[in-house]
Amino acid sequence: QAQLVESGGGLVQAGGSLRLSCAASGRTFSMYAMGWFRQALGKEREIVAAVTWSGSTTYYVDSVKGRFTISRDVAKNTVYLQMHRLKPEDTAVYYCTASRGSWVHPDYWGQGTQVTVSS
């Protein structure tokens, strides 16, 4: 059974950094686009970053451009989200996703990891 498991969330002060990891198991996701969504309390879920299966193309929502970097290690079946200069508005549950087609319509979701940025 395919599974995505996130780790690396936690509490950090504004201006700090965190790196989220997403370990995929149960199948290979080498041909899948991988992404990170987030959902803050009382807000709609939004896509934060995504990367194509080849790694050649990435997407970032405007609010994180220049601060977040998505990357993937195909050999390890793992995707990462490096987050720098974190802001309180980045506080949310972050979800790892895998998509056979468009990254805005994932086929698989992780269980989520909480990121809390204190001011």
Side-chain angles (χ1 to χ4, degrees), residues 81-112:
L81 185 67
Q82 179 68 57
M83 306 183 292
H84 294 299
R85 302 194 304 279
L86 283 160
K87 303 176 181 179
E89 50 264 44
D90 294 318
T91 295
V93 177
Y94 284 70
Y95 298 90
C96 175
T97 63
S99 310
R100 284 171 291 184
S102 170
W103 52 48
V104 297
H105 299 294
D107 299 284
Y108 299 96
W109 292 80
Q111 83 288 349

PDB file of all heavy atoms in Angstrom, residues 81-112:
ATOM      1  N   LEU A  81      11.253  19.734   1.812  1.00  0.00           N
ATOM      2  CA  LEU A  81      10.883  21.141   1.713  1.00  0.00           C
ATOM      3  C   LEU A  81      11.751  21.890   2.713  1.00  0.00           C
ATOM      4  O   LEU A  81      11.546  21.790   3.928  1.00  0.00           O
ATOM      5  CB  LEU A  81       9.407  21.363   2.014  1.00  0.00           C
ATOM      6  CG  LEU A  81       8.929  22.809   1.818  1.00  0.00           C
ATOM      7  CD1 LEU A  81       8.987  23.171   0.321  1.00  0.00           C
ATOM      8  CD2 LEU A  81       7.502  23.005   2.343  1.00  0.00           C
ATOM      9  N   GLN A  82      12.743  22.597   2.199  1.00  0.00           N
ATOM     10  CA  GLN A  82      13.601  23.417   3.040  1.00  0.00           C
ATOM     11  C   GLN A  82      12.953  24.782   3.185  1.00  0.00           C
ATOM     12  O   GLN A  82      12.660  25.433   2.180  1.00  0.00           O
ATOM     13  CB  GLN A  82      14.988  23.552   2.420  1.00  0.00           C
ATOM     14  CG  GLN A  82      15.945  24.408   3.228  1.00  0.00           C
ATOM     15  CD  GLN A  82      16.319  23.759   4.542  1.00  0.00           C
ATOM     16  OE1 GLN A  82      16.829  22.655   4.578  1.00  0.00           O
ATOM     17  NE2 GLN A  82      16.079  24.475   5.649  1.00  0.00           N
ATOM     18  N   MET A  83      12.763  25.205   4.418  1.00  0.00           N
ATOM     19  CA  MET A  83      12.068  26.473   4.689  1.00  0.00           C
ATOM     20  C   MET A  83      12.984  27.388   5.483  1.00  0.00           C
ATOM     21  O   MET A  83      13.470  27.011   6.558  1.00  0.00           O
ATOM     22  CB  MET A  83      10.773  26.207   5.469  1.00  0.00           C
ATOM     23  CG  MET A  83       9.852  25.195   4.791  1.00  0.00           C
ATOM     24  SD  MET A  83       8.287  24.956   5.659  1.00  0.00           S
ATOM     25  CE  MET A  83       8.856  24.137   7.149  1.00  0.00           C
ATOM     26  N   HIS A  84      13.224  28.557   4.938  1.00  0.00           N
ATOM     27  CA  HIS A  84      14.052  29.567   5.605  1.00  0.00           C
ATOM     28  C   HIS A  84      13.228  30.817   5.862  1.00  0.00           C
ATOM     29  O   HIS A  84      12.185  31.036   5.260  1.00  0.00           O
ATOM     30  CB  HIS A  84      15.255  29.931   4.734  1.00  0.00           C
ATOM     31  CG  HIS A  84      16.242  28.825   4.543  1.00  0.00           C
ATOM     32  ND1 HIS A  84      16.917  28.242   5.590  1.00  0.00           N
ATOM     33  CD2 HIS A  84      16.666  28.210   3.415  1.00  0.00           C
ATOM     34  CE1 HIS A  84      17.736  27.318   5.119  1.00  0.00           C
ATOM     35  NE2 HIS A  84      17.593  27.261   3.807  1.00  0.00           N
ATOM     36  N   ARG A  85      13.741  31.670   6.765  1.00  0.00           N
ATOM     37  CA  ARG A  85      13.101  32.952   7.090  1.00  0.00           C
ATOM     38  C   ARG A  85      11.614  32.757   7.330  1.00  0.00           C
ATOM     39  O   ARG A  85      10.772  33.470   6.759  1.00  0.00           O
ATOM     40  CB  ARG A  85      13.365  33.967   5.981  1.00  0.00           C
ATOM     41  CG  ARG A  85      14.854  34.211   5.737  1.00  0.00           C
ATOM     42  CD  ARG A  85      15.124  35.444   4.902  1.00  0.00           C
ATOM     43  NE  ARG A  85      14.452  35.446   3.622  1.00  0.00           N
ATOM     44  CZ  ARG A  85      14.889  34.807   2.550  1.00  0.00           C
ATOM     45  NH1 ARG A  85      15.992  34.073   2.612  1.00  0.00           N
ATOM     46  NH2 ARG A  85      14.231  34.881   1.409  1.00  0.00           N
ATOM     47  N   LEU A  86      11.310  31.812   8.173  1.00  0.00           N
ATOM     48  CA  LEU A  86       9.917  31.485   8.441  1.00  0.00           C
ATOM     49  C   LEU A  86       9.191  32.643   9.102  1.00  0.00           C
ATOM     50  O   LEU A  86       9.774  33.409   9.890  1.00  0.00           O
ATOM     51  CB  LEU A  86       9.820  30.233   9.306  1.00  0.00           C
ATOM     52  CG  LEU A  86      10.066  28.931   8.536  1.00  0.00           C
ATOM     53  CD1 LEU A  86      10.444  27.796   9.468  1.00  0.00           C
ATOM     54  CD2 LEU A  86       8.831  28.564   7.723  1.00  0.00           C
ATOM     55  N   LYS A  87       7.910  32.753   8.785  1.00  0.00           N
ATOM     56  CA  LYS A  87       7.057  33.817   9.307  1.00  0.00           C
ATOM     57  C   LYS A  87       5.883  33.192  10.054  1.00  0.00           C
ATOM     58  O   LYS A  87       5.502  32.044   9.767  1.00  0.00           O
ATOM     59  CB  LYS A  87       6.512  34.651   8.140  1.00  0.00           C
ATOM     60  CG  LYS A  87       7.576  35.247   7.243  1.00  0.00           C
ATOM     61  CD  LYS A  87       6.942  35.967   6.066  1.00  0.00           C
ATOM     62  CE  LYS A  87       7.992  36.554   5.134  1.00  0.00           C
ATOM     63  NZ  LYS A  87       7.378  37.252   3.970  1.00  0.00           N
ATOM     64  N   PRO A  88       5.287  33.919  10.982  1.00  0.00           N
ATOM     65  CA  PRO A  88       4.121  33.380  11.694  1.00  0.00           C
ATOM     66  C   PRO A  88       3.018  32.926  10.740  1.00  0.00           C
ATOM     67  O   PRO A  88       2.318  31.939  11.031  1.00  0.00           O
ATOM     68  CB  PRO A  88       3.665  34.560  12.550  1.00  0.00           C
ATOM     69  CG  PRO A  88       4.923  35.310  12.828  1.00  0.00           C
ATOM     70  CD  PRO A  88       5.725  35.201  11.557  1.00  0.00           C
ATOM     71  N   GLU A  89       2.885  33.588   9.602  1.00  0.00           N
ATOM     72  CA  GLU A  89       1.838  33.201   8.651  1.00  0.00           C
ATOM     73  C   GLU A  89       2.151  31.892   7.931  1.00  0.00           C
ATOM     74  O   GLU A  89       1.319  31.383   7.177  1.00  0.00           O
ATOM     75  CB  GLU A  89       1.577  34.314   7.629  1.00  0.00           C
ATOM     76  CG  GLU A  89       2.819  34.859   6.956  1.00  0.00           C
ATOM     77  CD  GLU A  89       3.341  36.124   7.630  1.00  0.00           C
ATOM     78  OE1 GLU A  89       3.390  36.168   8.884  1.00  0.00           O
ATOM     79  OE2 GLU A  89       3.732  37.061   6.892  1.00  0.00           O
ATOM     80  N   ASP A  90       3.338  31.334   8.133  1.00  0.00           N
ATOM     81  CA  ASP A  90       3.649  30.015   7.594  1.00  0.00           C
ATOM     82  C   ASP A  90       3.119  28.897   8.492  1.00  0.00           C
ATOM     83  O   ASP A  90       3.202  27.714   8.131  1.00  0.00           O
ATOM     84  CB  ASP A  90       5.163  29.837   7.432  1.00  0.00           C
ATOM     85  CG  ASP A  90       5.758  30.764   6.385  1.00  0.00           C
ATOM     86  OD1 ASP A  90       5.131  30.935   5.323  1.00  0.00           O
ATOM     87  OD2 ASP A  90       6.842  31.324   6.652  1.00  0.00           O
ATOM     88  N   THR A  91       2.616  29.261   9.651  1.00  0.00           N
ATOM     89  CA  THR A  91       2.073  28.267  10.575  1.00  0.00           C
ATOM     90  C   THR A  91       0.909  27.528   9.926  1.00  0.00           C
ATOM     91  O   THR A  91      -0.045  28.139   9.450  1.00  0.00           O
ATOM     92  CB  THR A  91       1.593  28.950  11.870  1.00  0.00           C
ATOM     93  OG1 THR A  91       2.723  29.507  12.551  1.00  0.00           O
ATOM     94  CG2 THR A  91       0.901  27.952  12.790  1.00  0.00           C
ATOM     95  N   ALA A  92       1.017  26.202   9.905  1.00  0.00           N
ATOM     96  CA  ALA A  92       0.008  25.374   9.248  1.00  0.00           C
ATOM     97  C   ALA A  92       0.382  23.910   9.401  1.00  0.00           C
ATOM     98  O   ALA A  92       1.489  23.582   9.848  1.00  0.00           O
ATOM     99  CB  ALA A  92      -0.088  25.716   7.754  1.00  0.00           C
ATOM    100  N   VAL A  93      -0.540  23.053   9.021  1.00  0.00           N
ATOM    101  CA  VAL A  93      -0.222  21.638   8.842  1.00  0.00           C
ATOM    102  C   VAL A  93       0.232  21.478   7.394  1.00  0.00           C
ATOM    103  O   VAL A  93      -0.461  21.918   6.474  1.00  0.00           O
ATOM    104  CB  VAL A  93      -1.431  20.735   9.131  1.00  0.00           C
ATOM    105  CG1 VAL A  93      -1.070  19.273   8.871  1.00  0.00           C
ATOM    106  CG2 VAL A  93      -1.910  20.926  10.572  1.00  0.00           C
ATOM    107  N   TYR A  94       1.386  20.865   7.223  1.00  0.00           N
ATOM    108  CA  TYR A  94       1.971  20.683   5.901  1.00  0.00           C
ATOM    109  C   TYR A  94       1.788  19.231   5.468  1.00  0.00           C
ATOM    110  O   TYR A  94       2.112  18.302   6.226  1.00  0.00           O
ATOM    111  CB  TYR A  94       3.443  21.049   5.916  1.00  0.00           C
ATOM    112  CG  TYR A  94       3.674  22.542   5.924  1.00  0.00           C
ATOM    113  CD1 TYR A  94       3.375  23.299   7.059  1.00  0.00           C
ATOM    114  CD2 TYR A  94       4.167  23.206   4.812  1.00  0.00           C
ATOM    115  CE1 TYR A  94       3.562  24.674   7.075  1.00  0.00           C
ATOM    116  CE2 TYR A  94       4.363  24.574   4.816  1.00  0.00           C
ATOM    117  CZ  TYR A  94       4.048  25.298   5.948  1.00  0.00           C
ATOM    118  OH  TYR A  94       4.233  26.667   5.954  1.00  0.00           O
ATOM    119  N   TYR A  95       1.300  19.066   4.228  1.00  0.00           N
ATOM    120  CA  TYR A  95       1.014  17.743   3.693  1.00  0.00           C
ATOM    121  C   TYR A  95       1.880  17.469   2.468  1.00  0.00           C
ATOM    122  O   TYR A  95       1.982  18.310   1.569  1.00  0.00           O
ATOM    123  CB  TYR A  95      -0.450  17.638   3.277  1.00  0.00           C
ATOM    124  CG  TYR A  95      -1.437  17.826   4.400  1.00  0.00           C
ATOM    125  CD1 TYR A  95      -1.932  19.082   4.710  1.00  0.00           C
ATOM    126  CD2 TYR A  95      -1.879  16.734   5.144  1.00  0.00           C
ATOM    127  CE1 TYR A  95      -2.849  19.258   5.741  1.00  0.00           C
ATOM    128  CE2 TYR A  95      -2.793  16.891   6.171  1.00  0.00           C
ATOM    129  CZ  TYR A  95      -3.268  18.151   6.464  1.00  0.00           C
ATOM    130  OH  TYR A  95      -4.174  18.320   7.488  1.00  0.00           O
ATOM    131  N   CYS A  96       2.441  16.296   2.435  1.00  0.00           N
ATOM    132  CA  CYS A  96       3.178  15.823   1.267  1.00  0.00           C
ATOM    133  C   CYS A  96       2.192  15.156   0.311  1.00  0.00           C
ATOM    134  O   CYS A  96       1.260  14.471   0.755  1.00  0.00           O
ATOM    135  CB  CYS A  96       4.233  14.827   1.712  1.00  0.00           C
ATOM    136  SG  CYS A  96       5.157  14.037   0.391  1.00  0.00           S
ATOM    137  N   THR A  97       2.397  15.355  -0.985  1.00  0.00           N
ATOM    138  CA  THR A  97       1.493  14.772  -1.966  1.00  0.00           C
ATOM    139  C   THR A  97       2.262  14.165  -3.135  1.00  0.00           C
ATOM    140  O   THR A  97       3.407  14.541  -3.398  1.00  0.00           O
ATOM    141  CB  THR A  97       0.522  15.827  -2.525  1.00  0.00           C
ATOM    142  OG1 THR A  97       1.271  16.840  -3.216  1.00  0.00           O
ATOM    143  CG2 THR A  97      -0.295  16.468  -1.424  1.00  0.00           C
ATOM    144  N   ALA A  98       1.601  13.252  -3.824  1.00  0.00           N
ATOM    145  CA  ALA A  98       2.146  12.642  -5.037  1.00  0.00           C
ATOM    146  C   ALA A  98       1.059  12.620  -6.099  1.00  0.00           C
ATOM    147  O   ALA A  98      -0.084  12.248  -5.810  1.00  0.00           O
ATOM    148  CB  ALA A  98       2.640  11.230  -4.751  1.00  0.00           C
ATOM    149  N   SER A  99       1.431  13.011  -7.319  1.00  0.00           N
ATOM    150  CA  SER A  99       0.446  13.154  -8.387  1.00  0.00           C
ATOM    151  C   SER A  99       0.936  12.481  -9.655  1.00  0.00           C
ATOM    152  O   SER A  99       2.048  12.745 -10.106  1.00  0.00           O
ATOM    153  CB  SER A  99       0.196  14.644  -8.682  1.00  0.00           C
ATOM    154  OG  SER A  99      -0.076  15.370  -7.511  1.00  0.00           O
ATOM    155  N   ARG A 100       0.061  11.669 -10.240  1.00  0.00           N
ATOM    156  CA  ARG A 100       0.412  11.075 -11.537  1.00  0.00           C
ATOM    157  C   ARG A 100       0.244  12.094 -12.655  1.00  0.00           C
ATOM    158  O   ARG A 100       0.929  12.035 -13.658  1.00  0.00           O
ATOM    159  CB  ARG A 100      -0.480   9.858 -11.802  1.00  0.00           C
ATOM    160  CG  ARG A 100      -0.098   8.636 -11.011  1.00  0.00           C
ATOM    161  CD  ARG A 100      -1.130   7.542 -11.140  1.00  0.00           C
ATOM    162  NE  ARG A 100      -2.376   7.891 -10.481  1.00  0.00           N
ATOM    163  CZ  ARG A 100      -3.411   7.077 -10.377  1.00  0.00           C
ATOM    164  NH1 ARG A 100      -3.343   5.865 -10.889  1.00  0.00           N
ATOM    165  NH2 ARG A 100      -4.511   7.452  -9.762  1.00  0.00           N
ATOM    166  N   GLY A 101      -0.661  13.019 -12.460  1.00  0.00           N
ATOM    167  CA  GLY A 101      -0.914  14.058 -13.450  1.00  0.00           C
ATOM    168  C   GLY A 101      -0.522  15.410 -12.881  1.00  0.00           C
ATOM    169  O   GLY A 101       0.577  15.597 -12.399  1.00  0.00           O
ATOM    170  N   SER A 102      -1.456  16.332 -12.914  1.00  0.00           N
ATOM    171  CA  SER A 102      -1.189  17.672 -12.400  1.00  0.00           C
ATOM    172  C   SER A 102      -0.969  17.664 -10.900  1.00  0.00           C
ATOM    173  O   SER A 102      -1.678  16.979 -10.150  1.00  0.00           O
ATOM    174  CB  SER A 102      -2.372  18.586 -12.724  1.00  0.00           C
ATOM    175  OG  SER A 102      -2.235  19.823 -12.039  1.00  0.00           O
ATOM    176  N   TRP A 103      -0.004  18.443 -10.438  1.00  0.00           N
ATOM    177  CA  TRP A 103       0.280  18.474  -9.004  1.00  0.00           C
ATOM    178  C   TRP A 103      -0.813  19.152  -8.190  1.00  0.00           C
ATOM    179  O   TRP A 103      -0.789  19.086  -6.971  1.00  0.00           O
ATOM    180  CB  TRP A 103       1.645  19.119  -8.712  1.00  0.00           C
ATOM    181  CG  TRP A 103       1.904  20.452  -9.322  1.00  0.00           C
ATOM    182  CD1 TRP A 103       1.091  21.554  -9.322  1.00  0.00           C
ATOM    183  CD2 TRP A 103       3.087  20.829 -10.040  1.00  0.00           C
ATOM    184  NE1 TRP A 103       1.703  22.578  -9.988  1.00  0.00           N
ATOM    185  CE2 TRP A 103       2.923  22.183 -10.436  1.00  0.00           C
ATOM    186  CE3 TRP A 103       4.278  20.178 -10.382  1.00  0.00           C
ATOM    187  CZ2 TRP A 103       3.894  22.864 -11.156  1.00  0.00           C
ATOM    188  CZ3 TRP A 103       5.244  20.874 -11.085  1.00  0.00           C
ATOM    189  CH2 TRP A 103       5.057  22.200 -11.469  1.00  0.00           C
ATOM    190  N   VAL A 104      -1.751  19.794  -8.844  1.00  0.00           N
ATOM    191  CA  VAL A 104      -2.854  20.420  -8.085  1.00  0.00           C
ATOM    192  C   VAL A 104      -3.948  19.398  -7.764  1.00  0.00           C
ATOM    193  O   VAL A 104      -4.886  19.708  -7.023  1.00  0.00           O
ATOM    194  CB  VAL A 104      -3.460  21.625  -8.830  1.00  0.00           C
ATOM    195  CG1 VAL A 104      -2.404  22.710  -9.001  1.00  0.00           C
ATOM    196  CG2 VAL A 104      -4.055  21.212 -10.159  1.00  0.00           C
ATOM    197  N   HIS A 105      -3.818  18.207  -8.336  1.00  0.00           N
ATOM    198  CA  HIS A 105      -4.777  17.138  -8.069  1.00  0.00           C
ATOM    199  C   HIS A 105      -4.024  15.880  -7.628  1.00  0.00           C
ATOM    200  O   HIS A 105      -3.874  14.931  -8.409  1.00  0.00           O
ATOM    201  CB  HIS A 105      -5.630  16.846  -9.303  1.00  0.00           C
ATOM    202  CG  HIS A 105      -6.445  18.014  -9.744  1.00  0.00           C
ATOM    203  ND1 HIS A 105      -7.474  18.539  -8.989  1.00  0.00           N
ATOM    204  CD2 HIS A 105      -6.382  18.783 -10.872  1.00  0.00           C
ATOM    205  CE1 HIS A 105      -8.011  19.569  -9.634  1.00  0.00           C
ATOM    206  NE2 HIS A 105      -7.368  19.735 -10.769  1.00  0.00           N
ATOM    207  N   PRO A 106      -3.562  15.850  -6.391  1.00  0.00           N
ATOM    208  CA  PRO A 106      -2.771  14.713  -5.928  1.00  0.00           C
ATOM    209  C   PRO A 106      -3.575  13.418  -5.850  1.00  0.00           C
ATOM    210  O   PRO A 106      -4.782  13.429  -5.589  1.00  0.00           O
ATOM    211  CB  PRO A 106      -2.317  15.137  -4.526  1.00  0.00           C
ATOM    212  CG  PRO A 106      -2.442  16.618  -4.504  1.00  0.00           C
ATOM    213  CD  PRO A 106      -3.623  16.906  -5.371  1.00  0.00           C
ATOM    214  N   ASP A 107      -2.859  12.334  -6.057  1.00  0.00           N
ATOM    215  CA  ASP A 107      -3.448  11.001  -5.906  1.00  0.00           C
ATOM    216  C   ASP A 107      -3.181  10.430  -4.516  1.00  0.00           C
ATOM    217  O   ASP A 107      -3.924   9.569  -4.043  1.00  0.00           O
ATOM    218  CB  ASP A 107      -2.860  10.052  -6.954  1.00  0.00           C
ATOM    219  CG  ASP A 107      -3.158  10.512  -8.368  1.00  0.00           C
ATOM    220  OD1 ASP A 107      -4.312  10.328  -8.800  1.00  0.00           O
ATOM    221  OD2 ASP A 107      -2.250  11.068  -9.036  1.00  0.00           O
ATOM    222  N   TYR A 108      -2.130  10.896  -3.886  1.00  0.00           N
ATOM    223  CA  TYR A 108      -1.755  10.424  -2.566  1.00  0.00           C
ATOM    224  C   TYR A 108      -1.441  11.613  -1.657  1.00  0.00           C
ATOM    225  O   TYR A 108      -0.866  12.611  -2.112  1.00  0.00           O
ATOM    226  CB  TYR A 108      -0.528   9.506  -2.631  1.00  0.00           C
ATOM    227  CG  TYR A 108      -0.737   8.257  -3.448  1.00  0.00           C
ATOM    228  CD1 TYR A 108      -0.342   8.201  -4.785  1.00  0.00           C
ATOM    229  CD2 TYR A 108      -1.316   7.109  -2.888  1.00  0.00           C
ATOM    230  CE1 TYR A 108      -0.538   7.061  -5.535  1.00  0.00           C
ATOM    231  CE2 TYR A 108      -1.502   5.964  -3.637  1.00  0.00           C
ATOM    232  CZ  TYR A 108      -1.111   5.951  -4.955  1.00  0.00           C
ATOM    233  OH  TYR A 108      -1.303   4.813  -5.707  1.00  0.00           O
ATOM    234  N   TRP A 109      -1.814  11.443  -0.380  1.00  0.00           N
ATOM    235  CA  TRP A 109      -1.561  12.458   0.636  1.00  0.00           C
ATOM    236  C   TRP A 109      -0.904  11.818   1.850  1.00  0.00           C
ATOM    237  O   TRP A 109      -1.251  10.696   2.217  1.00  0.00           O
ATOM    238  CB  TRP A 109      -2.878  13.097   1.101  1.00  0.00           C
ATOM    239  CG  TRP A 109      -3.570  13.932   0.067  1.00  0.00           C
ATOM    240  CD1 TRP A 109      -4.357  13.479  -0.954  1.00  0.00           C
ATOM    241  CD2 TRP A 109      -3.566  15.351  -0.037  1.00  0.00           C
ATOM    242  NE1 TRP A 109      -4.830  14.539  -1.688  1.00  0.00           N
ATOM    243  CE2 TRP A 109      -4.366  15.700  -1.146  1.00  0.00           C
ATOM    244  CE3 TRP A 109      -2.967  16.371   0.704  1.00  0.00           C
ATOM    245  CZ2 TRP A 109      -4.571  17.026  -1.529  1.00  0.00           C
ATOM    246  CZ3 TRP A 109      -3.178  17.686   0.321  1.00  0.00           C
ATOM    247  CH2 TRP A 109      -3.968  18.002  -0.789  1.00  0.00           C
ATOM    248  N   GLY A 110      -0.003  12.571   2.463  1.00  0.00           N
ATOM    249  CA  GLY A 110       0.521  12.149   3.746  1.00  0.00           C
ATOM    250  C   GLY A 110      -0.437  12.560   4.856  1.00  0.00           C
ATOM    251  O   GLY A 110      -1.471  13.182   4.613  1.00  0.00           O
ATOM    252  N   GLN A 111      -0.072  12.228   6.076  1.00  0.00           N
ATOM    253  CA  GLN A 111      -0.948  12.514   7.213  1.00  0.00           C
ATOM    254  C   GLN A 111      -0.775  13.933   7.737  1.00  0.00           C
ATOM    255  O   GLN A 111      -1.607  14.416   8.507  1.00  0.00           O
ATOM    256  CB  GLN A 111      -0.693  11.511   8.347  1.00  0.00           C
ATOM    257  CG  GLN A 111       0.478  11.839   9.267  1.00  0.00           C
ATOM    258  CD  GLN A 111       1.830  11.635   8.614  1.00  0.00           C
ATOM    259  OE1 GLN A 111       1.957  11.069   7.538  1.00  0.00           O
ATOM    260  NE2 GLN A 111       2.874  12.116   9.285  1.00  0.00           N
ATOM    261  N   GLY A 112       0.287  14.596   7.309  1.00  0.00           N
ATOM    262  CA  GLY A 112       0.510  15.982   7.709  1.00  0.00           C
ATOM    263  C   GLY A 112       1.472  16.121   8.873  1.00  0.00           C
ATOM    264  O   GLY A 112       1.572  15.237   9.725  1.00  0.00           O
TER     265      GLY A 112
END
